[in-house]
Amino acid sequence: MVQATKRAQALIWNTFKELEEHDLNALSQDFPSPHFLIGPFHKYFLASSSSILTPDQTSLSWLDKHPPNSVLYVSFGSLVKIKESQFLEIAWGLANSKQPFLWVVRPGSIEGSEWLEPLPYGFLERIVEGRGYIVKWAPQQDVLAHYATGGFWTHNGWNSTLESICEGVPMLCSPSFGDQFPNARYVSDVWKIGVMLENGFEREEIESAIKRVLVDEEGLELRNKITNIKWKVDLCLKKGGSSYSSLEDLVNYILSF
């Protein structure tokens, strides 16, 4: 992949200058071809166009019932699979946090189960009591943009990470494979807009991390930092902004051949 990239005449990045300028400047030393930073890509298209499953729109009406920045949105994307034991740790961590949550459990995402079978009998009725809402898929961009969403527990795929940044929503990070690990570490340690779950899925750490993001003073600091980045996203996409200008440069570059 690196060798093929070095042979490319130009590189197009799904990011924006203000987020990763230092790293991309360093990268250009090894990849001297023109670089075009025109992201975030999803801002150019309607939210529904990128959905692989039918989103449950009741997620939004459920969010309407909650105060601003109060709900944790939980979704691990379209590929991640987890063990039943991990699923139960997630469930008890969410329950024990006593914070509202919207949880996407994709059918087939729990090894050996169709959907919610591993949950203890009566769990939803006894523990959740309207405080939590579980769906098979959600309109993620709309959920992240909703005023009630106060945190996003994510696998840190790049699309999800960018979507959270664009809406100013702090993250809980649970990477599983590939680029998710460096993405998550940038979120927690470099940009400081999220919290890494260092020990996988353990209910005590989950409960603590949720409270750090939604309840504690730390959560306010995370929100302030990511809101500042969100403001930069809004500017970069406007005429004269970095991504807007880079897209114009890309068009001119292609037309020059």
Side-chain angles (χ1 to χ4, degrees), residues 32-56:
S33 301
H35 293 241
F36 299 98
L37 283 62
I38 64 172
F41 288 173
H42 73 275
K43 284 292 189 178
Y44 298 100
F45 306 101
L46 296 174
S48 59
S49 65
S50 62
S51 180
I52 63 168
L53 298 172
T54 302
D56 188 334

Side-chain angles (χ1 to χ4, degrees), residues 129-196:
E129 286 291 327
R131 182 168 54 79
Y133 196 59
I134 302 177
V135 297
K136 295 179 178 179
W137 199 247
Q140 180 159 296
Q141 292 177 34
D142 293 329
V143 168
L144 290 171
H146 197 284
Y147 65 83
T149 303
F152 180 19
W153 185 0
T154 173
H155 63 307
N156 286 111
W158 186 240
N159 287 337
S160 290
T161 300
L162 263 188
E163 289 169 7
S164 199
I165 288 172
C166 288
E167 301 304 336
V169 179
M171 286 167 264
L172 273 74
C173 305
S174 290
S176 294
F177 56 82
D179 69 320
Q180 297 169 10
F181 289 99
N183 294 345
R185 192 57 70 186
Y186 263 75
V187 166
S188 63
D189 290 14
V190 179
W191 302 321
K192 300 184 186 302
I193 54 176
V195 172
M196 178 77 82

